[in-house]
Amino acid sequence: MPVVSQGGAPGLVVEAKSLFKRYGASLAMDGIDLQVHPGEIYGLIGPDGAGKSSLLKSVAGVLAHDAGDLRVFGCLLDSERACEQVKDRIGLMPQGLGQNLYGDLSVEENIDYFGGLRLLTDEQLSSRKEALLRSTRLERFRDRPMKNLSGGMKQKLGLVCTLIHEPKLVILDEPTTGVDPVSRREFWSILARLLKEKGITALVSTAYMDEASRFHRVSLMHAGKILASGDPEQIKTMASGCIVSTVCQDTAQQVEAVRRLSAQFPQMEVLGQELRIFVDAADSVEATAHVQQCLQGLALSATEVLEPELEDVFIALLRQRKLSNGASDGAHPENTSAASNDSALHRHADNGPAIEAENLSRTFGEFKAVDQVSFSVPQGEIFGLLGANGAGKSTVIKMLTGILSQTDGKGRVAGADMRTAGRQIRERIGYMSQAFSLYLDLTVLENIRLYAGIYGLTRKQTAERIDWILDMAGLRPFGKALAASLPMGLRQRLALGCALIHRPQVLFLDEPTSGVDPLGRRAFWEVLFRLSREENVTILVTTHYMSEAEHCDHIALMYAGRVVADASPDQLKLNVAQEAGNLYELHVVQAAQAPQVVERLQGAGFGSAALFGARVHVLLPDPEQELPRVHAALQDLEIQKILPKRLSMEDVFVHIVTKLEAADAKARGEQA
């Protein structure tokens, strides 16, 4: 059905004017203005409580707004009857892995059920189902129960069920949260292809700032308002300033460098040995000089000026427009040290490796979840354990913490074998699980006191640690608030505080920031850095956010229960560059041609070509010889420029895992 207009701007799929929505005293939408054009992927990005989900539900016709005008396909949504008129042209995929699916039904049964709900004929359902199963590579799994699918496969099935009636507008609420990078990249590739083939428009929210590059236009949201709108490249120019990157390889000097920089620059982050500083209102020369002057006397290397990423711009806009009000909104806790005033008394000593895994294995019946995993983590290091859904990361953590016994091999933590470790060694370990860490029906203070009692802290120790946690997590204004009422970012920092209440020597964090917005994640990692560098706490962390992997000193990448790569982030990038080539980014003049660019490049033998909105990424082993081939393959398409780009940890992850998946597929005699 074509887009029709009954008022408002002609041809728009979505048009919102001065949209308001209030929940009690909270203003979820505060004068939202938005226009979504046919055929585009429009992204909504912002922290928890920004109003993204409320806006999506309003557009979907399942939530009534309080004031303002909202038109979808030209129809004014001012009543339930009006909403019903557009729902057959809308597909809604709610937030959460498989939330719109039924766990006990198979892949095919779920699709059939949604086809029936949409009153499709048998012929329509059969043809669309087979096409979508092929597009998402779910054909082999049509008989598998949904509850037994990986996170990425659940989301692909959710997308199939959302698209089965061929809607003209698909609404996706954080569709890739909790999904590994390979599955995320595949999800967006599938979505872009299907939207182009069917002429579908998409309105999407996401917690991953790096995904914004895949959207044609985006709106940055905060506290119910739209902070900025435009294509990602336009938005990157809206904050005045630039990024200065420098490397400080000495740990003690890095701590001093962070102390100095924090006093002068309100926006900076530590990525392993690299320091990234946003310098307000300065050109590259002035910014570099300012940073070098601040760090005078310290040993630095590889200082350079970088283009700000969208996350950098978002945070800078919040600061520069004075929309962030500190810890009260969960975005920025006070910039206090993770260590208390007497931190020197509690710095953990270096007594050999803090964590050791030696041929660690675990089987469940015939299934080998962990297969001879070995690695070693020195005291005070931030160690990242990465892998796709089902790779075995959580099982490794459960064995190292003594929650799960190993089938074979050894695991030692803080010098003790976890098979025989008693209560004393367990008191040296902090654990923040993926699924459960807090009692949501208790207040912030009640949760902290509960954990203090579990670890046997005295009344004096409890009072000291409560003060420390409230300051560290930016929770002082929320002591009497229920944990369930906190934004996800604050809730996770409370969970971290509870895991640290007994000052453990080793801290295990299993996907601690899944579902946390970009501001909350950055604040969370500031705390982890200080714990590692100032208190010498060893941290083992799993994550699906590849930007977070950059924070780690060392990384082990798992695949199918095995460790397949083990090195620092910089070394992993170097290894991939030597094996697969340097990364290049193609700027496509017309965004609609970007999918065709990918197809042309892949057809010309560049298998690594991947779509990122109006840009395309490709790895070139020999740029001097292969760039002419790239130009030849795209000679009739408009390419604005082709530039070299830094490899990211997502590029590393995708390259390694995709290569292993292809090898497995070949071994099974399948088409990779």
Side-chain angles (χ1 to χ4, degrees):
M1 185 178 294
V3 178
V4 296
S5 180
Q6 300 172 6
L12 291 176
V13 177
V14 178
E15 183 181 20
K17 293 182 179 179
S18 300
L19 214 58
F20 287 84
K21 177 65 181 178
R22 183 181 294 276
Y23 300 101
S26 175
L27 198 57
M29 292 191 290
D30 187 4
I32 295 291
D33 292 321
L34 183 76
Q35 291 187 338
V36 180
H37 298 281
E40 70 178 350
I41 303 178
Y42 199 107
L44 302 177
I45 301 174
D48 299 310
K52 305 186 301 296
S53 293
S54 294
L55 178 54
L56 292 181
K57 290 175 183 175
S58 295
V59 173
V62 298
L63 178 70
H65 52 279
D66 298 332
D69 287 344
L70 175 61
R71 296 178 185 272
V72 178
F73 301 113
C75 179
L76 181 64
L77 301 190
D78 57 356
S79 65
E80 287 188 24
R81 182 180 178 182
C83 292
E84 291 299 324
Q85 290 179 356
V86 299
K87 283 184 180 177
D88 63 330
R89 286 175 275 169
I90 294 175
L92 173 63
M93 187 171 165
Q95 186 176 343
L97 293 176
Q99 287 298 303
N100 61 331
L101 305 175
Y102 294 87
D104 291 328
L105 297 184
S106 69
V107 167
E108 187 163 23
E109 287 169 340
N110 267 285
I111 300 172
D112 290 344
Y113 176 75
F114 278 86
L117 284 180
R118 294 295 186 170
L119 304 179
L120 299 183
T121 65
D122 290 343
E123 183 179 349
Q124 287 175 324
L125 175 59
S126 178
S127 62
R128 294 178 188 180
K129 177 171 61 178
E130 296 307 317
L132 287 167
L133 284 172
R134 282 195 303 273
S135 295
T136 54
R137 297 195 299 169
L138 289 173
E139 289 175 294
R140 283 197 307 119
F141 308 100
R142 64 173 69 222
D143 296 325
R144 181 175 295 186
M146 186 282 284
K147 62 186 178 184
N148 294 336
L149 299 177
S150 69
M153 291 169 68
K154 286 177 182 176
Q155 294 306 79
K156 287 194 291 184
L157 176 58
L159 182 62
V160 169
C161 292
T162 302
L163 295 175
I164 192 66
H165 65 295
E166 296 190 352
K168 302 309 293 181
L169 170 64
V170 60
I171 299 172
L172 310 174
D173 195 357
E174 298 194 8
T176 56
T177 295
V179 176
D180 68 79
V182 173
S183 297
R184 278 203 291 139
R185 188 171 286 193
E186 184 180 36
F187 181 93
W188 291 115
S189 176
I190 291 168
L191 180 64
R193 185 174 66 251
L194 291 175
L195 296 190
K196 181 186 176 185
E197 290 173 357
K198 302 295 183 180
I200 298 173
T201 304
L203 180 60
V204 187
S205 72
T206 180
Y208 297 90
M209 280 283 183
D210 60 318
E211 288 188 342
S213 62
R214 304 177 189 276
F215 306 145
H216 300 120
R217 290 192 300 142
V218 299
S219 285
L220 303 183
M221 296 185 65
H222 179 78
K225 294 178 180 291
I226 288 184
L227 184 63
S229 294
D231 71 57
E233 294 309 304
Q234 288 176 330
I235 291 179
K236 285 181 182 180
T237 67
M238 292 181 181
S240 176
C242 60
I243 293 285
V244 177
S245 166
T246 189
V247 175
C248 190
Q249 298 183 348
D250 181 85
T251 300
Q253 289 201 354
Q254 188 184 44
V255 172
E256 172 61 17
V258 170
R259 186 191 66 78
R260 293 188 195 178
L261 291 168
S262 298
Q264 292 197 35
F265 303 99
Q267 184 176 337
M268 65 158 292
E269 63 176 337
V270 183
L271 303 178
Q273 295 176 335
E274 181 186 7
L275 306 175
R276 293 179 82 254
I277 308 102
F278 193 100
V279 183
D280 291 327
D283 60 27
S284 58
V285 176
E286 182 184 357
T288 302
H290 194 178
V291 169
Q292 289 177 336
Q293 183 180 10
C294 179
L295 300 178
Q296 192 170 5
L298 300 181
L300 305 174
S301 61
T303 299
E304 59 180 318
V305 176
L306 304 175
E307 177 186 343
E309 299 294 335
L310 196 64
E311 182 174 307
D312 302 313
V313 172
F314 185 35
I315 295 171
L317 286 173
L318 286 177
R319 290 189 301 100
Q320 293 170 1
R321 300 188 184 188
K322 302 184 184 299
L323 289 180
S324 177
N325 59 350
S328 62
D329 67 353
H332 293 290
E334 294 300 320
N335 190 14
T336 57
S337 169
S340 55
N341 293 333
D342 60 344
S343 62
L345 299 176
H346 297 282
R347 183 175 173 84
H348 297 289
D350 289 318
N351 294 317
I355 305 172
E356 295 174 277
E358 183 180 340
N359 296 321
L360 208 56
S361 299
R362 173 71 195 199
T363 58
F364 296 95
E366 298 297 317
F367 176 63
K368 202 157 197 174
V370 176
D371 186 7
Q372 295 188 323
V373 164
S374 298
F375 58 80
S376 178
V377 186
Q379 188 68 44
E381 183 173 87
I382 300 177
F383 185 88
L385 194 59
L386 308 183
N389 299 98
K393 308 182 298 297
S394 295
T395 305
V396 168
I397 286 183
K398 288 176 181 176
M399 287 190 285
L400 289 172
T401 53
I403 294 173
L404 193 65
S405 62
Q406 57 261 51
T407 304
D408 198 8
K410 297 178 181 179
R412 297 178 64 84
V413 179
D417 189 327
M418 292 311 299
R419 289 177 300 182
T420 57
R423 178 178 175 83
Q424 184 179 9
I425 187 61
R426 295 181 196 277
E427 290 175 350
R428 302 179 199 171
I429 295 173
Y431 175 47
M432 186 173 160
S433 73
Q434 184 176 345
F436 171 80
S437 292
L438 297 173
Y439 293 88
L440 298 182
D441 55 348
L442 297 183
T443 68
V444 167
L445 290 173
E446 287 169 343
N447 268 285
I448 299 172
R449 291 192 181 104
L450 175 63
Y451 276 86
I454 290 172
Y455 284 104
L457 271 63
T458 66
R459 183 175 297 181
K460 180 181 178 182
Q461 289 171 327
T462 299
E464 290 175 351
R465 297 304 282 170
I466 285 175
D467 276 343
W468 180 86
I469 291 171
L470 293 178
D471 288 335
M472 175 274 293
L475 284 167
R476 196 162 286 280
F478 303 98
K480 296 182 180 180
L482 291 177
S485 70
L486 298 176
M488 184 63 78
L490 284 180
R491 194 185 300 176
Q492 292 301 81
R493 294 207 294 274
L494 171 60
L496 176 64
C498 290
L500 291 166
I501 193 154
H502 57 301
R503 293 190 180 276
Q505 180 179 344
V506 180
L507 180 62
F508 292 91
L509 306 173
D510 194 3
E511 294 190 25
T513 58
S514 182
V516 178
D517 63 77
L519 300 179
R521 289 202 303 273
R522 184 169 288 202
F524 192 92
W525 277 95
E526 288 174 6
V527 174
L528 297 188
F529 167 78
R530 295 181 182 277
L531 284 168
S532 166
R533 300 308 193 253
E534 295 178 8
E535 291 199 15
N536 209 30
V537 175
T538 304
I539 300 169
L540 187 151
V541 60
T542 71
T543 180
H544 279 146
Y545 295 92
M546 290 298 100
S547 60
E548 290 188 345
E550 307 278 1
H551 291 271
C552 299
D553 301 305
H554 201 93
I555 285 171
L557 175 58
M558 291 187 66
Y559 175 80
R562 297 174 284 114
V563 171
V564 295
D566 184 0
S568 69
D570 286 343
Q571 186 60 51
L572 288 173
K573 293 174 188 176
L574 180 61
N575 294 346
V576 169
Q578 291 174 342
E579 178 181 308
N582 297 315
L583 183 66
Y584 279 78
E585 184 174 73
L586 286 69
H587 296 232
V588 184
V589 174
Q590 298 182 28
Q593 290 187 339
Q596 189 178 358
V597 171
V598 174
E599 292 173 8
R600 290 276 191 92
L601 290 175
Q602 291 179 345
F606 300 102
S608 65
L611 185 65
F612 287 80
R615 298 186 178 187
V616 173
H617 289 185
V618 63
L619 290 167
L620 302 179
D622 187 349
E624 189 173 329
Q625 289 190 5
E626 290 164 325
L627 279 173
R629 287 180 53 213
V630 169
H631 286 290
L634 307 175
Q635 58 183 338
D636 59 330
L637 299 176
E638 292 185 87
I639 306 300
Q640 182 180 0
K641 53 187 174 181
I642 303 177
L643 299 174
K645 187 174 177 66
R646 272 184 167 193
L647 275 171
S648 68
M649 277 307 302
E650 178 179 319
D651 297 312
V652 170
F653 186 103
V654 170
H655 171 75
I656 294 174
V657 172
T658 301
K659 183 177 69 172
L660 292 168
E661 287 180 342
D664 284 352
K666 185 176 181 181
R668 293 194 303 263
E670 301 171 357
Q671 180 68 33

